Amino acid sequence: MKVFNIVRRHWILIALMLIALALRVWYLTINPLWPQFSNADDGDYFQRALRFAVTGRYVDDGWLIRPPFHVWIFAAWLKLGLEFGQSASFGVRLIQGFQTLLGVALVPLGYALAARLFNRRAGLIFAAFCALWFPFVELPATLFSEPIYLFLFTLHLWLLLRFDDTRRPRNLAFSGLVLGMAALTRSPALYALVFAVPWLVLKNLEPRTKNLTKEQGNNRTKNSGSILPSSPIADEAEARRGVGQGRQGGEGLASSRLFPALLSALRRSIVPFAVLAACTLAIVLPWTARNWIVYQRFVAIDTLGPINLWLDLEGTELRTQKIEQLRQLPQADRQAFATEKVREILSVEPLRPLRNVWPTFRHVWKAQYVEDLWVKSSFFTRPLREAAPLGLASDLFWLIAAFAGLIGLLHPATDRAFKVLIGLWLVYSFATVLVFHVEPRYLLPIWLLLALYGSWTLSSGIGWIAGLRRQPWRAALVYGAVLAIAALFVTYRDYPSIIARGLQRDWHMRSGDQAYARADYPTAEREYRAALDADPQFVDSEIPLALALAAQGRSADARSVLSPGDSRRSGIVSGLLSRDAGDEEQARTLLSTVEQRAGEDAQRWTLDHVPVRPRAALVLGQDALDLGYIAGFAGSEQAGDLSYRWLLGAGEIVLPLTTPLVAGDSIGLTIAAPLPLSGQLQVRINGGPAIMLRPDPQWREYRLAIPPALAGQTELRLSLSAPTYLPMREEEESDDPRSLSVMVHRVVVYQ
């Protein structure tokens, strides 16, 4: 019965949680990004986590000392996946599943936070934002720090409110511990610890009548059987009436007693802040001590701040060169070097960090999904077209939440000590973004807090307008801020023209895809060219255009429309076209490193999407000249005169053939198995019965007979599967984190 009552009372919240789960799982199914193939932050996190999971050693092998907490979490899931006997890819799926659950848990947590601050309706509105907003839906698919950080940050705020309600030190202690974890996930959280000081002081300045009102409200909530706290805005009004009554009864704070009362409140805040700070530092200081022991330098958490500040002050023109300059230094000296460079710059130009503040501030207030979908030159492998309905609606959610949040933050009805804490977080977050560079994920805490206060505005309907009638100065501030941001948003881009052009581009792209699917390549070419005419800078239109031209036998024209440096997929297709045209030197240049930095499984993408020339033999390796025919293999390697690839547990080799298979044909498979494996190699030919092999440690060609049932087929598909061996785990001196099985050199069809 109790469970039934909970479901009946919170059925909307439960529905939002289920929707949040469904959306995140759906996005994972369409997302092609894999951190194993990324040279960005997510790839660095993955490599650190994998090494830690396999060896138990945490190594700062990147060019920065990074916050470690999310890496430890990733490592735990990777280790669990490896213990199950699966590959690192399975561990990545476990991480994504964990982050999905965090995203779902953020929905009731957001409800509890907004309901406690304002009212139940505001809680549901904020929960809906947490459940439906596309950047939150997208987060679980990536191995960035934000999914864990945003959850910890929100939990920290809610625990502070729980302490305010209960005055139980354990809630404050838990809040400090959570803040410490958040700081070890993103270091700015540590420096924001001091924001709790004014909140504690202001809370101690408030008369006891307000605390009594809250206690009564909590008792009412407890008696009602609700599992989540709720504090309507009416309770705040009641508390303010209590303040007025206190003044009339001599209990208020007369101006002559303000300073002594402030000192008294400050003294009463020392112990709570000490508890909060001690619990935060209990999490952070062991890592600081580790940095001192390893590097003999004081590094509180990371070296991102000084290094990024130096790179941003120097400008982006020589950023890559300066990063390489840092890499030449020992890790222990990089922060000191960057700090000294910052001092030199500021000694000559003290205001240099402020030179781009206004352009950056304008850049913050933009429709992010519209920008990604119709302004940027490429999708960069993100499934933006598939997610467009939700993404475009989310820009509308964001716009409403941003304006409503400004109103809620500046409105007198929400004045309370907690808003000072939130305001300081917002100012600090904006300051770090404006001084450094803007990335959409860096703005997520800002939009989270604005949406929190926007939930109050939206829950009030038009009632917030009446609350401004007796306060003209506050009304001027609210309306002025809203109008200023509206003007900034409208003047930043010509969004109506961008949307119209983008819709035209996507219409032609969709028509071209349909024509290409039915092998109507001239029509596909015409539609893709129309898409490029609508949006000439969109390089992702060039890729299908090149494929349509190549399908018509116009290889030179296909290569001419591609700009290999503009996107990873452009480089892949250009390299494959160069290979098929006989220009292997150019193909090697374009393909040699693409697998390590594509951000996705380049082998699988090329096998599934790029038609390749028929052949009866394939040599694996050779600087990725085998792309388009394989999937499930490690990078190209060389052993003497032989090129090869390691099979990563399971993979495929697919050869379109010039002549059909006939009975009596055979396959030659040149492989070697120098690593100790716990089982045999399993080979299936075109999905047929498994053929079991026990390969020799030395190179040997194995002959496999073509089953008579496959006669007449024009494609050979070899599916390979074998147990894996982790050199890093099994060999103390090894630094190889890959799950390896057998080495494959060549496949040939003997007809």
Side-chain angles (χ1 to χ4, degrees):
M1 182 62 69
K2 185 177 180 180
V3 174
F4 176 77
N5 289 334
I6 291 173
V7 172
R8 184 179 62 179
R9 178 174 175 78
H10 298 292
W11 69 270
I12 298 178
L13 181 61
I14 294 171
L16 287 173
M17 294 172 63
L18 293 175
I19 293 171
L21 177 63
L23 287 175
R24 285 153 178 79
V25 171
W26 160 76
Y27 186 79
L28 288 176
T29 63
I30 65 171
N31 172 60
L33 299 177
W34 285 93
Q36 301 98 305
F37 310 104
S38 173
N39 62 344
D41 288 352
D42 55 340
D44 185 20
Y45 296 150
F46 171 78
Q47 294 299 333
R48 291 176 189 237
L50 183 59
R51 178 179 290 105
F52 190 39
V54 173
T55 68
R57 300 192 308 269
Y58 186 93
V59 180
D60 294 306
D61 55 347
W63 59 286
L64 294 168
I65 300 173
R66 293 186 181 273
F69 185 74
H70 56 293
V71 176
W72 296 339
I73 299 295
F74 297 162
W77 290 107
L78 288 173
K79 186 171 183 61
L80 182 62
L82 294 174
E83 290 297 325
F84 283 157
Q86 302 294 323
S87 66
S89 296
F90 179 73
V92 171
R93 288 302 190 195
L94 291 179
I95 295 171
Q96 292 174 330
F98 168 72
Q99 294 186 147
T100 295
L101 294 179
L102 280 185
V104 175
L106 187 63
V107 176
L109 182 59
Y111 170 84
L113 182 62
R116 163 58 182 81
L117 276 176
F118 309 121
N119 54 64
R120 187 171 184 270
R121 183 183 299 175
L124 291 174
I125 292 172
F126 187 53
F129 183 83
C130 294
L132 302 176
W133 194 40
F134 178 76
F136 287 171
V137 172
E138 187 180 31
L139 274 182
T142 61
L143 262 64
F144 290 123
S145 60
E146 278 69 24
I148 295 174
Y149 174 75
L150 289 174
F151 179 81
L152 293 172
F153 173 56
T154 307
L155 182 59
H156 161 70
L157 296 178
W158 181 74
L159 285 169
L160 287 180
L161 291 176
R162 289 296 298 160
F163 168 73
D164 185 26
D165 289 338
T166 64
R167 292 297 170 177
R168 293 174 180 170
R170 68 183 183 189
N171 288 320
L172 198 60
F174 287 149
S175 182
L177 293 173
V178 169
L179 184 61
M181 297 175 197
L184 283 186
T185 305
R186 288 194 63 188
S187 57
L190 175 64
Y191 314 118
L193 176 64
V194 296
F195 298 163
V197 174
W199 174 70
L200 290 168
V201 171
L202 289 173
K203 292 302 302 181
N204 283 315
L205 274 174
E206 293 177 348
R208 295 180 180 178
T209 52
K210 182 172 182 179
N211 293 329
L212 180 60
T213 300
K214 288 180 179 177
E215 183 177 354
Q216 293 169 345
N218 290 334
N219 289 335
R220 289 195 301 270
T221 301
K222 182 177 180 181
N223 294 334
S224 68
S226 173
I227 61 172
L228 295 171
S230 177
S231 179
I233 201 70
D235 287 352
E236 183 65 20
E238 182 180 348
R240 286 199 295 271
R241 288 196 296 272
V243 174
Q245 293 168 1
R247 289 196 182 102
Q248 294 173 7
E251 297 176 4
L253 297 177
S255 58
S256 61
R257 298 176 56 196
L258 180 59
F259 185 68
L262 185 59
L263 287 179
S264 177
L266 186 59
R267 284 195 298 270
R268 291 197 299 272
S269 302
I270 292 176
V271 172
F273 178 73
V275 172
L276 182 69
C279 292
T280 301
L281 296 178
I283 300 295
V284 173
L285 287 182
W287 175 253
T288 307
R290 174 264 185 188
N291 290 337
W292 178 264
I293 293 171
V294 174
Y295 300 113
Q296 295 297 301
R297 297 285 192 278
F298 176 77
V299 178
I301 295 175
D302 57 35
T303 57
L304 271 69
I307 291 176
N308 279 334
L309 181 58
W310 171 53
L311 294 174
D312 287 331
L313 292 179
E314 289 279 21
T316 60
E317 296 81 8
L318 301 175
R319 185 179 180 90
T320 302
Q321 178 180 330
K322 294 184 183 303
I323 290 175
E324 290 304 316
Q325 182 181 2
L326 279 174
R327 290 184 188 275
Q328 302 304 314
L329 299 173
Q331 181 70 265
D333 298 336
R334 295 174 190 176
Q335 176 173 267
F337 176 82
T339 301
E340 184 58 33
K341 288 293 185 181
V342 169
R343 288 174 181 162
E344 292 176 5
I345 294 170
L346 296 181
S347 66
V348 177
E349 190 179 348
L351 299 180
R352 190 164 183 173
L354 305 179
R355 64 181 178 180
N356 291 323
V357 164
W358 175 242
T360 303
F361 184 72
R362 294 191 67 212
H363 190 58
V364 168
W365 300 90
K366 62 182 182 296
Q368 186 60 58
Y369 200 88
V370 171
E371 296 266 336
D372 290 343
L373 185 65
W374 288 323
V375 175
K376 289 186 177 180
S377 61
S378 171
F379 292 160
F380 301 105
T381 70
R382 294 167 65 201
L384 295 179
R385 285 176 63 186
E386 295 86 343
L390 177 62
L392 294 174
S394 291
D395 269 1
L396 183 59
F397 301 161
W398 162 80
L399 191 62
I400 294 171
F403 286 113
L406 284 174
I407 295 170
L409 276 170
L410 300 175
H411 201 282
T414 61
D415 286 349
R416 60 188 75 184
F418 198 73
K419 189 160 75 173
V420 175
L421 175 68
I422 296 299
L424 290 171
W425 269 102
L426 281 170
V427 170
Y428 179 52
S429 300
F430 267 110
T432 55
V433 168
L434 296 179
V435 170
F436 295 97
H437 54 283
V438 177
E439 286 190 31
R441 59 193 178 99
Y442 296 163
L443 301 174
L444 293 180
I446 295 175
W447 307 134
L448 181 77
L449 295 179
L450 283 179
L452 173 62
Y453 275 80
S455 68
W456 172 82
T457 306
L458 297 173
S459 71
S460 303
I462 61 173
W464 62 269
I465 298 176
L468 295 173
R469 290 174 182 170
R470 295 185 179 182
Q471 299 196 40
W473 288 108
R474 188 68 72 93
L477 178 63
V478 171
Y479 295 135
V482 170
L483 289 175
I485 296 301
L488 189 150
F489 176 79
V490 170
T491 58
Y492 180 68
R493 296 227 193 261
D494 183 4
Y495 283 117
S497 298
I498 289 172
I499 293 173
R501 183 194 67 197
L503 290 173
Q504 183 182 9
R505 182 199 77 191
D506 287 350
W507 174 268
H508 289 298
M509 285 290 292
R510 189 173 294 106
S511 299
D513 291 344
Q514 293 170 352
Y516 188 90
R518 62 177 184 267
D520 185 0
Y521 301 120
T523 300
E525 175 193 351
R526 186 166 58 252
E527 293 295 336
Y528 291 139
R529 290 193 184 279
L532 271 175
D533 290 340
D535 188 0
Q537 70 167 359
F538 189 60
V539 299
D540 285 3
S541 298
E542 299 171 357
I543 297 171
L545 173 59
L547 293 177
L549 291 169
Q552 299 175 68
R554 298 160 58 188
S555 177
D557 292 341
R559 295 169 65 189
S560 68
V561 303
L562 290 170
S563 304
D566 289 343
S567 78
R568 307 290 163 77
R569 289 181 178 177
S570 295
I572 292 173
V573 175
S574 183
L576 296 183
L577 292 175
S578 297
R579 177 196 64 189
D580 292 344
D583 189 354
E584 290 195 356
E585 186 66 28
Q586 176 69 5
R588 291 176 191 273
T589 301
L590 293 171
L591 298 175
S592 59
T593 61
V594 71
E595 293 174 81
Q596 288 74 43
R597 58 188 180 87
E600 64 176 334
D601 188 343
Q603 294 179 20
R604 173 56 61 185
W605 184 80
T606 54
L607 183 61
D608 292 345
H609 295 92
V610 182
V612 291
R613 289 191 171 182
R615 60 169 65 198
L618 176 71
V619 175
L620 275 68
Q622 295 188 328
D623 294 327
L625 292 181
D626 52 3
L627 283 181
Y629 299 97
I630 63 170
F633 291 86
S636 303
E637 297 186 48
Q638 195 80 18
D641 295 333
L642 293 180
S643 65
Y644 68 94
R645 288 181 183 265
W646 285 100
L647 176 68
L648 298 176
E652 286 185 307
I653 303 174
V654 181
L655 300 181
L657 303 172
T658 54
T659 59
L661 295 172
V662 297
D665 288 349
S666 63
I667 299 169
L669 181 62
T670 304
I671 56 179
L675 298 176
L677 301 179
S678 60
Q680 295 178 301
L681 171 66
Q682 182 183 100
V683 183
R684 294 182 183 272
I685 304 174
N686 289 27
I691 302 171
M692 309 304 295
L693 299 176
R694 177 72 71 172
D696 292 340
Q698 304 300 321
W699 290 112
R700 176 184 166 188
E701 183 182 73
Y702 295 82
R703 288 291 187 99
L704 309 175
I706 297 291
L710 299 182
Q713 296 193 17
T714 58
E715 179 183 83
L716 172 68
R717 182 178 294 268
L718 285 185
S719 300
L720 309 177
S721 177
T724 58
Y725 177 91
L726 274 71
M728 183 183 287
R729 183 171 63 185
E730 306 296 338
E731 305 168 13
E732 185 175 348
E733 69 281 1
S734 176
D735 196 41
D736 191 342
R738 300 174 299 173
S739 299
L740 307 177
S741 53
V742 300
M743 304 159 66
V744 182
H745 164 62
R746 188 179 72 149
V747 175
V748 59
V749 178
Y750 294 105
Q751 294 182 310

